[in-house]
Amino acid sequence: MELETRVDSLMDGLRADLERLAAIPSIAFPGFPPEPVEQAHDLVVELLRGAGVPTVERLDLPGTAPVVYGEIPPPDPSAPTVLLYGHYDVQPPGDAALWLSPPFEPTPVEGGLRARGIADDKSNVIAHLGMLRAYDGRPPVGVKIVIEGQEEYGSPFDAYPPTDPERFACDAMVIADLGNLRPGTPTLTTGLRGAAEVTVEVRTLEEPRHSGEFGGAAPDALLALVKVLATLHDVHGDVAVEGLLRESWTGTAYREDEFRSLAGVLDGVPLIGSGSLGERLWSGPAITVIGLDAPSVEHAASAVVPYARAKLNLRFHPLQSPKEAQLRLVEHLRALRPFGITLTVTPGDTGPGFEAETGGPAYRAALTALKEAWGEEASYVATGGSIPLVNGLAKAAPGAEVLLFGAQDSMCNLHAPNERVLFSELRNTVIAMAAFVREYAADFRAEGGRK
């Protein structure tokens, strides 16, 4: 109760700082002005220094926005060190006409605030700040703080931590770039699916030819491509590419009605695939056609199509090698000869998945802390999204436990119009983080400290 009272006394100030941060259009994508990104960086530095962080540095790396690095030394040699991660950049707002209020004017909604980036990930930056304020800048653990500024677009920083392992050395890390399965349900994310891209092209004619005179014998590139894409899934909608890992999911998952609502599935349209939703979304593969080059219906001519191309996004099991998973898809496509036509298959980018070890003192402390904050046992989930930096940090600190939780929730509309955060989730996340470092410090000492 003492911790809850302390956090409640901080909430007005945390809300005000969240509104200041969310009002900055810190979009680190090409074509957007860099000044707001710098402004957000400077505000994060100001807030951390005001919270009592004695060492705050700016890391300038080639090809990316500045990274905020902060450090609080352990209170004594027997205390563990916890790394706290978040990012201050945001997604572009998209079509402003779809927003109920201007994207960078934080606006009250029932129980919270609406703005671009207010959940992903500025609420979590503020949650870290709240934990530090709860202890007046002197938590019972050592703290390292990493707040980057180009996570949404992609950043060379993902590969940097293993090149500077001493800076990122820690006993546990809290990656606060996600949150709860649903509001009010404390959630630890234990797995992240990997991602890979593949492009497949079909070229059959020098140029379009009249479909009446040539159709029926002239090879139609679009028809060949559609035939290829149809081989990627079986009759149930499950991925039919051999060699992609799929396991049953034993943690918590969405209810079907809940998922249908979140995904915006139209009435009468069935979900695809078989097995549990957790298996389809998190511990099994998914292949999505994310782009298609073909004549548009509006401008269609009565002609055999000479060229067609598709871009595929593959999501795969957290423990499968990115190169192996991508190769399985590439081999599947290259083995196909629709109507005897040879395809051009080009591998694209890949990103590894991640699966956390959950049996150590940090996880025990987190389970206790989340129950203290929300009043119920925490659920384990995974996510189909990826956070590439997690693997870089894990390589830099290979013995550290990795915990993924935060103030977002699956209904917050991240990356979509009208993104929002709930004050209840922010408050409870601050309580959970503060309780976590307290419990972890005690459990770490009881376990005999660093091995």
Side-chain angles (χ1 to χ4, degrees), residues 41-291:
H41 166 276
D42 293 347
L43 178 54
V44 171
V45 169
E46 174 191 324
L47 293 173
L48 290 176
R49 286 178 174 155
V53 181
T55 301
V56 183
E57 301 175 9
R58 173 184 172 125
L59 299 183
D60 283 303
L61 304 174
T64 191
V67 177
V68 181
Y69 176 82
E71 193 168 330
I72 301 173
D76 60 73
S78 66
T81 294
V82 176
L83 185 148
L84 307 175
Y85 168 81
H87 62 88
Y88 63 82
D89 64 304
V90 302
Q91 282 279 327
D95 185 353
L98 298 177
W99 285 77
L100 299 176
S101 55
F104 294 102
E105 290 183 14
T107 302
V109 297
E110 184 177 356
L113 288 169
R114 177 174 57 234
R116 168 55 85 228
I118 202 158
D120 179 22
D121 189 45
K122 291 178 177 179
S123 63
N124 287 319
V125 174
I126 295 299
H128 289 322
L129 187 73
M131 184 277 286
L132 297 174
R133 289 179 180 173
Y135 288 103
D136 294 320
R138 297 185 297 276
V141 298
V143 172
K144 293 184 176 181
I145 302 160
V146 179
I147 310 294
E148 69 167 316
Q150 197 173 297
E151 190 273 346
E152 297 291 5
Y153 178 70
S155 167
F157 181 60
D158 293 343
Y160 177 74
T163 70
D164 192 3
E166 185 175 351
R167 181 185 293 275
F168 301 98
C170 60
D171 300 292
M173 57 186 78
V174 177
I175 309 297
D177 191 12
L178 25 66
N180 290 338
L181 183 68
R182 59 184 69 88
T185 300
T187 304
L188 283 166
T189 298
T190 60
L192 306 170
R193 275 199 301 198
E197 292 185 345
V198 174
T199 301
V200 55
E201 298 179 70
V202 185
R203 191 178 296 275
T204 57
L205 305 172
E206 292 180 353
E207 58 187 10
R209 285 290 185 266
H210 191 290
S211 58
E213 294 187 22
F214 296 95
D220 184 324
L222 182 55
L223 186 61
L225 180 61
V226 170
K227 191 173 180 66
V228 166
L229 298 180
T231 71
L232 299 176
H233 298 82
D234 65 17
V235 294
H236 304 293
D238 293 316
V239 170
V241 176
E242 292 186 3
L244 295 176
L245 296 182
R246 176 167 173 162
E247 294 181 334
S248 60
W249 176 253
T250 58
T252 305
Y254 295 112
R255 301 184 306 271
E256 181 168 333
D257 63 325
E258 186 176 47
F259 178 77
R260 291 180 66 89
S261 176
L262 288 170
V265 180
L266 299 178
D267 290 343
V269 178
L271 303 185
I272 67 170
S274 60
S276 72
L277 279 173
E279 192 172 328
R280 281 179 270 175
L281 297 171
W282 302 328
S283 61
I287 298 175
T288 305
V289 181
I290 60 172

